[in-house]
Amino acid sequence: MEKPLARAADRVERLTPDEVRAHAPAGLAALLVDAVDGGASVGFLAPLEATEAAAWWSRVAEETEEGVRDVWAAHGPDGGLTGVVTLVRAGTANGRHRGEIARLLVHRSARGRGLGYRLLATAEAHAAATGLTLLVLDTQTDSPAERLYRGAGWTAAGTIPDFAADPAGVPRPTTLYYKRLG
């Protein structure tokens, strides 16, 4: 499958905890609100208030500071955030080899130019470079995100019916994916 190329102006960088805090009230919150408004099942119900989204990102900043979660953001030509992805490390002794891709979000205005692939590839490369050998994620079954994950070499492990509610509150099936690194 041919992957579209992201615009050169979409700069992807890893955020420090302070940068996550700085972007939480506006850019990161706006990405999360846009995803929920667009129907993405990412843990929140619609309508999602910007203050609730910002509070969630503030908690992510704490996890980033603790070394539990890494965050990468894509910046568009104007410097505004166009996408984000997080990598969460397993917290158990027997799971130190794995991580979870969580909250891969691309603003609806920035879709179709390969930004999702770039963000995912960035998180995967970092995971491999830091010794992780297995990544997992989950996504709503039959969502547009499934095409992205399959195209990036992820393997579907199974589907759980009614696993999570979509933004409208309707229970939907979720497909679990994994990818071996290295």
Side-chain angles (χ1 to χ4, degrees):
M1 166 191 291
E2 180 100 8
K3 296 175 181 71
L5 298 175
R7 291 183 194 166
D10 288 310
R11 180 177 42 89
V12 176
E13 69 177 359
R14 186 171 171 198
L15 300 181
T16 67
D18 286 340
E19 289 169 329
V20 174
R21 283 185 196 91
H23 288 295
L28 290 169
L31 283 170
L32 189 53
V33 168
D34 177 71
V36 173
D37 285 352
S41 179
V42 291
F44 298 89
L45 298 177
L48 176 60
E49 297 294 327
T51 54
E52 182 182 354
W56 185 83
W57 282 109
S58 293
R59 289 190 297 279
V60 166
E62 298 305 317
E63 293 175 351
T64 303
E65 200 158 58
E66 295 164 4
V68 174
R69 188 184 298 251
D70 295 307
V71 179
W72 291 267
H75 302 266
D78 64 356
L81 296 186
T82 53
V84 67
V85 65
T86 74
L87 170 66
V88 181
R89 297 177 178 285
T92 59
N94 70 346
R96 289 188 183 131
H97 65 287
R98 75 173 185 266
E100 178 183 3
I101 297 295
R103 303 303 187 282
L104 173 56
L105 310 172
V106 174
H107 195 278
R108 288 180 283 178
S109 67
R111 291 186 186 158
R113 57 188 198 224
L115 198 48
Y117 283 104
R118 274 189 60 206
L119 286 162
L120 185 59
T122 298
E124 290 174 4
H126 177 79
T130 58
L132 298 183
T133 58
L134 179 69
L135 292 178
V136 297
L137 62 80
D138 66 75
T139 192
Q140 184 175 309
T141 304
D142 295 328
S143 70
E146 280 198 290
R147 193 173 107 221
L148 167 72
Y149 299 131
R150 285 192 303 268
W154 287 70
T155 302
T159 299
I160 303 170
D162 300 333
F163 183 77
D166 66 14
V170 178
R172 301 285 183 193
T174 293
T175 301
L176 307 177
Y177 283 86
Y178 70 92
K179 186 172 189 178
R180 293 187 185 275
L181 303 175

